């Protein structure tokens, strides 16, 4: 039995540049730094390079989950 609450999420504009609102930062012992947050627009692929603002630091996407 499926119960619908009438909730319909808004569509995320995937054609716009990738924007992530960071909620938390984790430091792993072997993986380096991991960030978690809400994607506002766009999408990423493993291996892409991203520019972190305002620090102007280039990073590489290692995985996504």
């Amino acid at each position: 039995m499926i119960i619908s609450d009438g909730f319909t999420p808004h569509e995320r504009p995937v054609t716009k540049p990738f924007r992530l609102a960071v909620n938390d930062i984790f430091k792993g012992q072997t993986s380096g730094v991991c960030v978690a947050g809400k994607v506002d627009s766009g999408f990423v692929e493993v291996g892409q390079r991203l520019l972190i603002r305002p620090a102007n630091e280039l990073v590489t996407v290692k995985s996504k989950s």
Side-chain angles (χ1 to χ4, degrees):
M1 176 180 207
I2 299 175
I3 299 174
S4 175
D5 60 3
F7 176 75
T8 55
H10 71 283
E11 293 229 4
R12 180 170 34 105
V14 295
T15 58
K16 294 190 176 187
F18 178 71
R19 294 189 69 176
L20 174 76
V22 176
N23 291 338
D24 210 347
I25 300 173
F26 306 97
K27 288 189 178 183
Q29 293 178 349
T30 58
S31 63
V33 177
C34 177
V35 295
K38 177 183 177 267
V39 176
D40 290 328
S41 63
F43 65 96
V44 294
E45 296 289 332
V46 173
Q48 275 187 316
R49 307 241 330 146
L50 302 176
L51 178 65
I52 304 298
R53 302 285 268 168
N56 288 332
E57 185 175 342
L58 280 173
V59 297
T60 303
V61 177
K62 302 236 178 175
S63 69
K64 57 183 184 175
S65 46

